[in-house]
Amino acid sequence: MSDRPTLKGRHASVSEPRLVRWLLVAIALAFLCVSVVLPLVSVFSEALRNGVSAYIDSITDPDAISAIKLTLLVAFIAVPFNLVFGVAAAWCVSKFEFWGKSFLSTLIDLPFSVSPVISGLIYVLLYGAHGWFGPWLQAHNVHIIFATAGIVMATTFVTFPFVARELIPLMQEQGSDEEQAALSLGASGWQTFRRVTLPNIRWSLLYGVLLCNARAMGEFGAVSVVSGHIRGLTNTMPLHVEILYNEYNFVAAFSVASLLALLALVTLAVKSFLEWRHADELAAKHKH
Amino acid sequence: MTIGRPRIYMKSPSPLPGFGISLGYTLVYLSIIVLLPLAAVFSKTAAMGWHEFVAVGLSKRAIAAYKLTFGTAFVAAMTNAAFGLIVAWVLVRYEFWGKKFVDALIDLPFALPTAVAGIALTSIYAANGWIGRYLEPHGIKVAYTPIGISIALIFVGLPFVVRTVEPVLKDLGLDVEEAAASLGANRFATIRRVVLPAIFPALTTGVTLAFARAVGEYGSVIFIAGNMPFKSEIAPLLIIVQLEQYNYAGATAIATVMLAMSFFLLLVVNMLQSWARHRS
């Protein structure tokens, strides 16, 4: 942030005429309004089209409630798994130099470049009735595909890189001087991690968990392949939105969708707050 | 765990503990969640005969889907290149009211579930929607056509371009621009000859990331696409169609083609990033 060019007192030679500046801001704002703000507003407007009571009815419908519960359950399992992995991966990638490190980083990012539909398909190919482990699972009466386990696995795959991606650039920039100092003063490895590393990365960690959670709760493509769309059983919120929408039950579809939109807004609000409050720590910027 | 063993793999020794356990855990978890399932796709494809692979993976319907997917993704990526650059420029260089809010808004496509974006965009661009009702009388149909697909992909790809270009623009000192101006270049020439070349690697990286994401996108597209075979059916949807017909081999064949393209794009992104690093 510190080397950001100062805008005050800029020489006219490195600025544009006022009309051009005004025009560019107008273009940018108009584009964002049409492409980002309008869809967001339309979700809430469509949800409240038939009034508040219809809205409340839609989100307290038993199928909606069970979809909400399943979504929370899936995120509750998938996010901690990826949190532990993210910290472990960031620790070994950022604190040590070893052969194949950059290859490992690429592999960690891999799920970002796989289509969500394929992310679901790969689990069907492994655990589905015709998959590698399918016959064995069937013989032992274990259900993964078209059951909660499959939804959790597909969600874990899709949200796999989020925490690691957030931590690696930050921890690389922080180096390991502080940890080495703690160790030389007699702290154990675990103490060093808990008292030195964790406080240094906590806001980035929270940020990564937030993004991971938002994606976990909102994942659609991968989950839709493995879930089987069984109402009240294997329907997550995004899938419930799809079913309602395809039944032309638009108000109900947008009502459930508005809860997901609220989740997105809360995520963005906390993210903005963290960036404002802890800008220095989050400065090691990430790319998705 | 002995200190000696991990050193074999390490380039330089480190006094920090936990290398073996963290690397071991990372590799095991990575293998179970990512590598093993991905290997299933390729092993299934390898087990399939070439003819079987071509029959679905390169069928006329599949080729039409690839063309549509890549065509609409390309249009969306180019649109985002232009508007994303303007948005990034405005956010970095100008001060205006509500800038913080606008900045937070850029990430909305990352945070908003794709299915929600899909139904929202469809309702806006449908014949009776907020925007659709003004376009329809002029004969412009957006929802249920490839234009609608591109609109959804523009939404999904926007943050990739803005967030990749922004930091590079921030780091770009004003001194080079001042130098160009003092040497007699006008503002337009300065931007074209000095600023654009400096941010070009970042811009191409961002556009490629947006393109790669758009190629695999499913949730935001299927509601607005119309999903007519040969006309508005995207490749990820074709995988779902094959799965619903219990044609696992067909679904796998299409997935393999798409994965190959995704990995190629990933390679391109990595090359672009190292190019950008060498430039700076």
Side-chain angles (χ1 to χ4, degrees):
Chain A
M1 282 286 184
S2 55
D3 47 0
R4 188 175 166 174
T6 48
L7 293 152
K8 282 165 205 139
R10 263 169 64 178
H11 197 268
S13 64
V14 286
S15 186
E16 295 74 38
R18 169 170 274 187
L19 182 69
V20 175
R21 275 187 302 192
W22 187 86
L23 203 67
L24 285 176
V25 172
I27 292 174
L29 291 184
F31 176 73
L32 288 173
C33 259
V34 172
S35 64
V36 180
V37 178
L38 215 55
L40 184 66
V41 175
S42 83
V43 172
F44 294 99
S45 143
E46 296 284 334
L48 294 167
R49 168 169 289 216
N50 291 353
V52 176
S53 68
Y55 177 80
I56 305 273
D57 285 347
S58 304
I59 56 174
T60 50
D61 176 79
D63 284 341
I65 297 275
S66 72
I68 294 170
K69 277 187 188 157
L70 181 62
T71 296
L72 293 175
L73 174 72
V74 169
F76 188 73
I77 302 171
V79 174
F81 265 107
N82 284 338
L83 165 67
V84 174
F85 159 74
V87 173
W91 180 265
C92 73
V93 168
S94 63
K95 305 283 180 192
F96 303 95
E97 289 297 327
F98 56 93
W99 298 108
K101 191 165 113 164
S102 62
F103 184 61
L104 181 64
S105 303
T106 307
L107 287 182
I108 291 172
D109 276 343
L110 208 53
F112 275 153
S113 48
V114 174
S115 169
V117 171
I118 297 177
S119 313
L121 172 73
I122 54 180
Y123 287 95
V124 173
L125 294 180
L126 268 192
Y127 305 108
H130 304 277
W132 278 1
F133 306 124
W136 187 89
L137 290 169
Q138 246 170 1
H140 293 78
N141 208 17
V142 181
H143 299 286
I144 292 182
I145 300 305
F146 305 146
T148 309
I151 300 177
V152 172
M153 285 182 186
T155 305
T156 310
F157 178 93
V158 169
T159 56
F160 184 85
F162 278 96
V163 178
R165 257 312 92 203
E166 214 53 53
L167 291 182
I168 289 172
L170 174 73
M171 285 168 72
Q172 258 168 352
E173 204 172 82
Q174 286 176 343
S176 54
D177 294 350
E178 290 184 34
E179 280 84 0
Q180 289 182 19
L183 286 169
S184 71
L185 290 172
S188 72
W190 175 243
Q191 275 177 325
T192 307
F193 173 75
R194 209 164 50 89
R195 300 266 187 91
V196 178
T197 311
L198 209 52
N200 275 339
I201 61 169
R202 60 188 166 183
W203 299 117
S204 270
L205 189 64
L206 178 60
Y207 187 16
V209 167
L210 270 174
L211 292 177
C212 183
N213 181 61
R215 181 71 195 266
M217 290 190 173
E219 178 50 31
F220 176 72
V223 169
S224 117
V225 173
V226 294
S227 109
H229 297 79
I230 309 165
R231 261 197 177 188
L233 272 180
T234 61
N235 249 357
T236 60
M237 285 165 79
L239 298 180
H240 193 58
V241 169
E242 183 200 17
I243 289 187
L244 292 169
Y245 189 86
N246 287 342
E247 287 172 347
Y248 301 101
N249 194 348
F250 294 134
V251 170
F254 278 101
S255 300
V256 179
S258 75
L259 295 179
L260 289 167
L262 275 179
L263 170 76
L265 287 178
V266 169
T267 305
L268 288 187
V270 177
K271 171 187 174 286
S272 300
F273 176 76
L274 286 179
E275 274 174 347
W276 168 66
R277 213 38 231 287
H278 306 281
D280 43 335
E281 190 197 300
L282 293 165
K285 262 312 233 193
H286 48 278
K287 285 181 226 93
H288 286 276
Chain B
M1 187 189 63
T2 56
I3 292 288
R5 256 189 56 204
R7 263 189 203 169
I8 302 168
Y9 315 106
M10 269 200 251
K11 280 181 182 165
S12 57
S14 165
L16 293 190
F19 174 68
I21 189 165
S22 63
L23 181 65
Y25 181 76
T26 301
L27 289 178
V28 169
Y29 189 79
L30 180 77
S31 305
I32 295 174
I33 300 287
V34 179
L35 301 181
L36 179 71
L38 280 177
V41 175
F42 290 107
S43 102
K44 182 120 182 149
T45 310
M48 188 184 307
W50 175 251
H51 287 288
E52 203 186 347
F53 176 75
V54 171
V56 185
L58 299 175
S59 66
K60 282 211 173 86
R61 187 174 173 184
I63 300 274
Y66 301 142
K67 274 188 188 160
L68 178 74
T69 304
F70 280 84
T72 49
F74 183 76
V75 171
M78 286 302 125
T79 313
N80 274 333
F83 285 100
L85 182 60
I86 295 178
V87 170
W89 178 266
V90 160
L91 282 177
V92 172
R93 289 296 175 94
Y94 303 152
E95 291 300 331
F96 55 93
W97 188 82
K99 189 169 140 173
K100 284 247 161 62
F101 178 72
V102 171
D103 187 58
L105 217 55
I106 303 288
D107 284 325
L108 186 76
F110 279 151
L112 193 71
T114 51
V116 178
I119 62 170
L121 288 168
T122 311
S123 81
I124 293 174
Y125 289 99
N128 57 353
W130 288 349
I131 296 181
R133 74 173 66 153
Y134 299 108
L135 297 177
E136 202 85 347
H138 301 286
I140 306 169
K141 277 199 165 80
V142 175
Y144 318 119
T145 69
I147 305 175
I149 301 178
S150 280
I151 298 243
L153 297 179
I154 290 171
F155 175 84
V156 165
L158 174 71
F160 289 94
V161 177
V162 178
R163 293 302 186 219
T164 317
V165 173
E166 237 185 333
V168 181
L169 260 183
K170 266 181 196 163
D171 285 347
L172 197 67
L174 283 175
D175 43 351
V176 275
E177 291 173 48
E178 271 162 4
S182 71
L183 289 170
N186 64 27
R187 189 64 191 147
F188 180 71
T190 308
I191 288 185
R192 200 168 59 91
R193 300 269 188 88
V194 177
V195 178
L196 279 183
I199 59 172
F200 189 69
L203 185 64
T204 14
T205 307
V207 170
T208 314
L209 285 171
F211 181 74
R213 168 72 200 265
V215 165
E217 180 57 24
Y218 176 69
S220 60
V221 173
I222 51 151
F223 294 99
I224 204 168
N227 307 331
M228 297 277 292
F230 295 103
K231 280 195 189 127
S232 53
E233 184 180 56
I234 54 165
L237 178 70
L238 198 53
I239 295 179
I240 302 259
V241 170
Q242 300 296 331
L243 277 179
E244 278 169 357
Q245 296 166 353
Y246 301 103
N247 183 358
Y248 292 98
T252 312
I254 299 166
T256 308
V257 174
M258 289 193 63
L259 275 178
M261 290 171 182
S262 301
F263 292 162
F264 173 72
L265 286 172
L266 188 68
L267 191 74
V268 171
V269 169
N270 278 349
M271 276 159 48
L272 282 172
Q273 274 168 345
S274 70
W275 176 41
R277 263 196 300 276
H278 285 295
R279 289 266 304 250
S280 59

